[in-house]
Amino acid sequence: MRRRYEDEPDKQRAFGPIAVDLLASFWHDPLDYDAPTRPGRRTPFTRALTAITAAAIGFILVVAYQHTVAAAPANADIRAQLLSDIDAKRAATDEQQKTAEQLGRDVEDLRDRILGDSEAAKALRDKAALAGLAPVTGEGVTVTVTDGPRPEDPDAQDLGRVRDRDIQTIVNTLWSLGAEAVAIDDQRLTATSAIRAAGAAILVDFRPVTNPYTITAIGPADLARQFNATGTARTFHGYSNDYGMGFTVKAADDLTLPAAPAPPLDHAAPIPPPGTGPDPSTTGSGR
Amino acid sequence: MIAVIALAVGVIAGIFINPDVPLWLQPYLPIAVIAALDSVFGGIRARLDRKFDDKQFVISFISNVLIAALIVYLGDQLGVGSQLSTGVVVVLGIRIFSNAAAIRRHLFSA
């Protein structure tokens, strides 16, 4: 085979480094097809061997083809099946969530009707509001943080981007200053709320919130002034100057924060109040 | 000519028998395909070079398949099966291309 390239001397030129030469020699001398210059004698036996080998090659090609073709629709089927399963479960969950919320509202209506305007009803409403299970209104502060401009170099670190930790810091500072209700992008926080990151997205209670991030808090009248005096506010003003992150703090007079969805009680069971039986029907009629 | 007929016979047999590939053999299937294609192109090239030799054709096919399978098997045992499969595919792929180039030169003088 080498002879062929001696006719074309430019093809035999070394490319340079040894590694490249190795590739070049692969290309020009295809490994072992340095066939004997004088083919061996062909006997019926060797012809039969060739025929068997050729048949085996054809067999392998077809088997591989059929195997691949057979595997493809099966994979696609499984994938489609999973997708529809996920959609169905998600729809069922949404439906049940709606039912749960409706039932919760029914319970509250009935409770209000039975209790009327008594002291106990007021205490109950206050507790629900504090726990985040009822909408609340009042004066407080609105803190808005926005992502800074993206760096032009796509590989550079995006330092102006708002992270879950930034939101956590602001929320914790607001709680520490006496905020009684906090919401992020109209998602009320409860005692069990989590602010987390999943990839680039920020999740509050597993629901994504998006840029710009608006954190509203109801608390003491001078919450905005107090917040501006904290180290957190100073830090974010610094981020704003250094990385172009947006950061505004505004006092607000009439904020309304929505209720959070009731968290599921998976493991714990409430202790029944003294004097009531464990049976829910007796609890209802006892009141 | 016999080889071409035999190839067709093998294809037809594969279509009609349609065997189930056992699970342990499946990682070797792509390698076997590449080795088979390599043998086909090598054979055609040797034929056009008037150098076709039955013994070499048979032995090179069998040895290529065995060595490729051995490399993949070793790779599987060492945990680098996919990388070594890639290596085998690259080397045999280069051979297929250079053989195809030689065939092209023969048939179209280009």
Side-chain angles (χ1 to χ4, degrees):
Chain A
M1 214 50 267
R2 205 169 295 254
R3 220 177 307 127
R4 168 175 297 282
Y5 292 103
E6 277 160 12
D7 305 336
E8 303 161 87
D10 59 322
K11 294 243 168 116
Q12 191 140 46
R13 199 173 50 213
F15 288 161
I18 293 166
V20 180
D21 264 0
L22 183 68
L23 283 181
S25 70
F26 261 144
W27 187 259
H28 294 320
D29 305 318
L31 307 187
D32 71 345
Y33 253 96
D34 224 357
T37 41
R38 232 171 58 95
R41 282 185 49 218
R42 308 196 73 180
T43 64
F45 176 68
T46 59
R47 282 168 187 270
L49 274 184
T50 303
I52 291 168
T53 309
I57 290 171
F59 190 73
I60 286 175
L61 292 180
V62 168
V63 167
Y65 174 77
Q66 286 180 336
H67 181 72
T68 313
V69 168
N75 291 346
D77 278 355
I78 291 168
R79 194 180 145 75
Q81 184 76 43
L82 282 174
L83 279 176
S84 70
D85 276 6
I86 290 170
D87 281 347
K89 295 273 185 221
R90 196 174 282 161
T93 310
D94 285 351
E95 194 61 38
Q96 291 188 341
Q97 185 73 40
K98 265 198 210 111
T99 314
E101 278 167 19
Q102 181 61 47
L103 288 173
R105 272 198 296 277
D106 289 354
V107 169
E108 278 166 28
D109 284 352
L110 288 172
R111 190 188 62 203
D112 286 355
R113 207 178 303 159
I114 292 167
L115 291 182
D117 255 353
S118 68
E119 200 62 26
K122 192 180 173 307
L124 205 55
R125 270 199 293 275
D126 283 355
K127 284 203 169 115
L130 197 58
L133 299 180
V136 287
T137 179
E139 56 182 345
V141 63
T142 306
V143 180
T144 312
V145 273
T146 50
D147 286 340
R150 287 168 167 277
E152 279 168 23
D153 178 6
D155 294 334
Q157 240 187 329
D158 197 352
L159 292 170
R161 196 183 171 81
V162 178
R163 309 264 171 202
D164 53 335
R165 223 170 30 184
D166 300 329
I167 310 260
Q168 283 168 10
T169 311
I170 292 171
V171 168
N172 285 339
T173 308
L174 287 170
W175 286 129
S176 75
L177 293 173
E180 287 165 353
V182 178
I184 301 167
D185 279 1
D186 278 340
Q187 269 212 81
R188 183 79 177 274
L189 300 182
T190 68
T192 57
S193 291
I195 303 167
R196 300 179 36 200
I202 298 178
L203 305 180
V204 175
D205 281 342
F206 299 107
R207 286 187 219 177
V209 290
T210 51
N211 185 44
Y213 306 93
T214 311
I215 301 157
T216 41
I218 294 177
D222 59 345
L223 188 58
R225 198 180 51 73
Q226 280 190 45
F227 182 75
N228 268 326
T230 58
T232 307
R234 273 198 298 280
T235 309
F236 277 88
H237 280 303
Y239 289 163
S240 180
N241 285 334
D242 295 345
Y243 309 123
M245 190 187 277
F247 180 69
T248 50
V249 181
K250 265 211 318 251
D253 284 341
D254 51 343
L255 288 170
T256 305
L257 302 194
L265 213 52
D266 286 333
H267 308 294
I271 300 168
T276 56
D279 185 5
S281 61
T282 51
T283 313
S285 60
R287 290 202 175 170
Chain B
M1 199 62 219
I2 296 171
V4 175
I5 294 168
L7 195 69
V9 168
V11 168
I12 291 164
I15 290 170
F16 281 102
I17 298 173
N18 194 10
D20 266 342
V21 183
L23 201 61
W24 59 268
L25 209 58
Q26 283 182 7
Y28 303 100
L29 208 53
I31 297 300
V33 169
I34 298 289
L37 275 182
D38 172 59
S39 293
V40 170
F41 279 98
I44 295 173
R45 176 196 189 164
R47 179 80 180 75
L48 291 172
D49 279 346
R50 296 185 197 293
K51 284 180 190 166
F52 186 82
D53 184 59
D54 291 303
K55 204 171 84 184
Q56 199 202 5
F57 177 69
V58 173
I59 292 176
S60 76
F61 171 67
I62 293 173
S63 68
N64 279 350
V65 168
L66 286 183
I67 292 171
L70 180 74
I71 290 175
V72 173
Y73 173 78
L74 269 181
D76 274 345
Q77 300 303 308
L78 295 171
V80 288
S82 58
Q83 286 92 328
L84 281 185
S85 298
T86 310
V88 170
V89 170
V90 167
V91 170
L92 292 181
I94 289 176
R95 272 175 56 136
I96 290 173
F97 266 98
S98 60
N99 282 333
I103 294 167
R104 192 193 63 215
R105 243 174 257 125
H106 266 292
L107 293 182
F108 307 110
S109 357

